[in-house]
Amino acid sequence: LVAGPRRRAVALIAVFGLLVVGAVVGVVVVATSGHSAPSDVPNTAEPSTRKVATRHDSELRGADEQGASGFLARPQSLPGRGRRRGPAPLQLAKRAKIDGCYIVKLRRGAGVRAAEVLQHAASGHSTRVFRNVFDGFVKCGISPQGLQVLRDSPLVAYVQEDAKVRRTVTWGLDRLDQINLPLSNSFDTQGQDGSGVDAYIVDTGIRSTHNEFGSRVQPGTSTVGGSSEDCDGHGTHVAGTVGGNTYGVAKGVRLFPVRVLDCDGWGSDSSVIGGLDWVTQQIQANP
């Protein structure tokens, strides 16, 4: 037995040891209670972030199981984006439209899978799917009801009428026969084609074998060396505007190449003056 002060010291040490052991046990219990359930116990809780991330994919799967029409009718929205009010905008064609054909632009994040589902949600047939410039597709032969189905889908950003596109005359040529707007995309020379007129093209020459000119390109000159054949392209372009078969202002004119610029489009004041001197000589010799 321990007596006196020494016995009291031992008793205090024992009590302190018990307190320490109790605190450690409490910490272990608290830490254990915060751990998730073992892997063999089902976890029914689903974080809200996981719901947002998988909602869009599950809706697309639901479209396959329940039909595209049911999928489109549900008021879902894209992850991170608010729900649109009302149908998607319908943009009307500003040119000659292609009846029954529409370009369907999907909202950002909809993905190609959504485009595949939506293509089967309306009447008609799809002619093209867009995957790179934007997600969407073209639908033709669509009924008014099918068009409304597409516009009502929250995955659709807008629907646009498809329209015809073609090459037209430039506005400069279009202005030849009219003052007032809008332009008519054509010009009328009132039956005058320039037959019997000589046109001297002072530029980089003319490619005489071009099918726009037929046999109307005449022998010319060059003040920068070589022949009068065009090795740059600009002179041939100018000659086409003057007398080409398609867009030429004077489709019957005779064309004389006066090459005063080289294959890189360079010349000099003296080379240009030399070309004009030759033109003057030709006119004086053939008034």
Side-chain angles (χ1 to χ4, degrees), residues 167-252:
R167 54 179 173 80
T168 60
V169 300
T170 64
W171 69 267
L173 290 174
D174 201 350
R175 279 290 196 180
L176 288 175
D177 65 341
Q178 68 177 101
I179 298 176
N180 298 324
L181 296 176
L183 297 177
S184 61
N185 292 325
S186 64
F187 65 95
D188 183 10
T189 61
Q190 300 179 351
Q192 303 297 319
D193 65 355
S195 296
V197 175
D198 296 336
Y200 295 86
I201 309 301
V202 183
D203 208 293
T204 61
I206 300 176
R207 181 159 71 87
S208 60
T209 57
H210 201 293
N211 56 14
E212 279 289 305
F213 308 127
S215 60
R216 291 181 291 115
V217 178
Q218 305 301 309
T221 191
S222 174
T223 59
V224 288
S227 71
S228 61
E229 288 291 325
D230 189 5
C231 55
D232 173 77
H234 189 270
T236 303
H237 161 76
V238 172
T241 302
V242 173
N245 291 331
T246 303
Y247 289 115
V249 177
K251 296 177 173 59

Side-chain angles (χ1 to χ4, degrees), residues 31-212:
T32 304
S33 64
H35 289 172
S36 60
S39 58
D40 57 343
V41 178
N43 183 6
T44 58
E46 185 179 26
S48 58
T49 55
R50 185 179 178 187
K51 284 184 178 180
V52 172
T54 60
R55 179 175 58 199
H56 184 51
D57 292 336
S58 65
E59 286 169 347
L60 291 177
R61 288 194 299 270
D64 294 332
E65 298 170 358
Q66 302 175 16
S69 60
F71 164 65
L72 294 172
R74 295 202 307 274
Q76 76 275 18
S77 60
L78 292 178
R81 295 185 177 273
R83 189 178 303 165
R84 186 189 64 237
R85 295 182 179 179
L90 174 61
Q91 299 183 5
L92 303 180
K94 297 181 180 180
R95 301 180 305 277
K97 72 175 183 178
I98 302 175
D99 292 333
C101 288
Y102 298 88
I103 300 170
V104 181
K105 164 73 166 58
L106 301 183
R107 295 177 66 185
R108 183 177 301 175
V112 176
R113 181 72 184 104
E116 294 173 353
V117 171
L118 289 170
Q119 288 180 77
H120 301 290
S123 59
H125 59 280
S126 298
T127 61
R128 192 183 304 273
V129 176
F130 305 118
R131 296 182 175 88
N132 300 303
V133 65
F134 60 76
D135 291 330
F137 55 92
V138 179
K139 191 85 169 178
C140 291
I142 189 172
S143 66
Q145 295 79 9
L147 175 61
Q148 192 61 46
V149 168
L150 292 176
R151 293 183 63 195
D152 287 341
S153 170
L155 297 178
V156 174
Y158 64 81
V159 179
Q160 175 181 323
E161 290 181 333
D162 203 358
K164 296 179 180 179
V165 178
R166 64 158 298 176
R167 54 179 173 80
T168 60
V169 300
T170 64
W171 69 267
L173 290 174
D174 201 350
R175 279 290 196 180
L176 288 175
D177 65 341
Q178 68 177 101
I179 298 176
N180 298 324
L181 296 176
L183 297 177
S184 61
N185 292 325
S186 64
F187 65 95
D188 183 10
T189 61
Q190 300 179 351
Q192 303 297 319
D193 65 355
S195 296
V197 175
D198 296 336
Y200 295 86
I201 309 301
V202 183
D203 208 293
T204 61
I206 300 176
R207 181 159 71 87
S208 60
T209 57
H210 201 293
N211 56 14
E212 279 289 305

